[in-house]
Amino acid sequence: MQRFKVVIPARYASSRLPAKPLLDLGGKPMVVRVAERAALSGAEEIWVATDHREVEAACRAHGLNVLLTRDDHPTGTDRLAEVVALRGWSDDTLVVNVQGDEPLIEPELISATANRLAESGADIATVGHGLSEAADFFNPNIVKLVCKADGDALYFSRAPIPYARDHFAREGGGETLPTDFPAYRHIGLYAYRAAFLKAYSGLAVSPLEQFECLEQLRALWHGYRISVAISDSLPAPGVDTPEDAVRMRKWFDREGISE
């Protein structure tokens, strides 16, 4: 089995859901629930990277590896890079970034992403899932991706790509998608080689990244390879808003999951 490490960035501040990592789900903080799922993936190490003492204390209380990182990181990737530096990991270490607000993430998806990175030889691996609904395809909040023949990402965009010109002209603006249309939703799970993370902070921000508000375009802009694993199933949604928090609490209550 491929060896890899998991890092869970857990930023305390959130404009839509303050103190999000500490959200109680069945008697445990959400960040602990995420770490429990990651532990089932076969990762050799799991680290929570946070910017807040309360999150650090909660992780230690539950026996998790945790690092207190800087509070001025502009992205989660920058936080991962700090973890790589603090832990002294070698360039060839594989690091999977598991978001701290996905307490139902499938462990198999984590390991599959790490395996994709190892097998492809790319700098980064991520995940896509086929789009079947026109409403999702045209929704700018759903990031789309286009791949090359070898499975590497060609581009990510909030725009509807690829664009089926003739089909959408016939269908009156895009009420349906063509049969066998190669349109994919991007799922924001990433595996990185530590060498890339060490170089990341020194990469200039690309204009594409600024306009699309998509951090992964920085890597493509500078010539790094991103390999894409296509998942047959859509992962469970994460927790971004108070409404999401209510939904997730109800799920844990319904399933009878507690300490």
Side-chain angles (χ1 to χ4, degrees):
M1 183 175 179
Q2 180 60 49
R3 298 177 63 185
F4 65 95
K5 306 179 192 299
V6 165
V7 176
I8 304 170
R11 191 170 65 91
Y12 183 84
S14 171
S15 58
R16 292 185 289 181
L17 191 60
K20 184 163 67 168
L22 301 178
L23 176 71
D24 185 279
L25 297 177
K28 292 181 181 179
M30 179 163 64
V31 67
V32 174
R33 293 297 187 190
V34 175
E36 289 175 341
R37 298 293 285 175
L40 300 175
S41 70
E44 60 179 347
E45 292 182 43
I46 299 168
W47 288 86
V48 175
T50 186
D51 60 353
H52 201 277
R53 291 288 183 186
E54 287 186 41
V55 179
E56 179 191 29
C59 289
R60 294 197 186 283
H62 287 85
L64 299 180
N65 295 322
V66 59
L67 290 171
L68 191 65
T69 53
R70 288 165 35 193
D71 61 4
D72 60 348
H73 286 306
T75 70
T77 309
D78 290 291
R79 199 172 304 282
L80 259 69
E82 184 180 358
V83 172
V84 168
L86 290 172
R87 298 298 302 161
W89 290 338
S90 63
D91 285 355
D92 59 353
T93 302
L94 305 188
V95 184
V96 181
N97 177 0
V98 175
Q99 297 298 327
D101 56 6
E102 297 188 6
L104 300 182
I105 189 167
E106 290 293 334
E108 295 80 8
L109 191 60
I110 297 172
S111 57
T113 308
N115 289 335
R116 180 73 180 198
L117 181 60
E119 293 166 2
S120 67
D123 305 289
I124 306 167
T126 191
V127 184
H129 178 259
L131 278 167
S132 59
E133 300 294 331
D136 291 339
F137 182 66
F138 287 98
N139 183 348
N141 295 315
I142 294 176
V143 177
K144 276 70 67 175
L145 65 92
V146 173
C147 294
K148 299 190 290 184
D150 61 1
D152 280 6
L154 185 63
Y155 194 65
F156 299 82
S157 182
R158 298 183 184 278
I161 59 171
Y163 194 82
R165 184 197 64 177
D166 294 342
H167 175 86
F168 294 143
R170 289 195 304 270
E171 295 297 322
E175 295 182 0
T176 65
L177 298 181
T179 302
D180 299 325
F181 189 45
Y184 295 96
R185 173 198 307 258
H186 179 226
I187 298 168
L189 179 67
Y190 292 97
Y192 301 96
R193 295 186 187 275
F196 169 80
L197 291 171
K198 292 176 183 179
Y200 179 78
S201 62
L203 300 178
V205 175
S206 78
L208 296 174
E209 173 188 359
Q210 290 180 307
F211 284 114
E212 293 261 20
C213 295
L214 296 175
E215 177 187 339
Q216 62 270 38
L217 293 177
R218 188 184 313 182
L220 289 183
W221 176 267
H222 289 281
Y224 288 93
R225 288 179 55 203
I226 303 177
S227 184
V228 181
I230 302 300
S231 173
D232 293 331
S233 59
L234 186 64
V239 178
D240 292 317
T241 66
E243 293 76 19
D244 293 337
V246 171
R247 170 183 51 79
M248 193 63 70
R249 280 176 169 152
K250 287 181 178 178
W251 186 91
F252 273 82
D253 291 342
R254 185 172 63 249
E255 296 296 318
I257 298 175
S258 63
E259 292 187 77

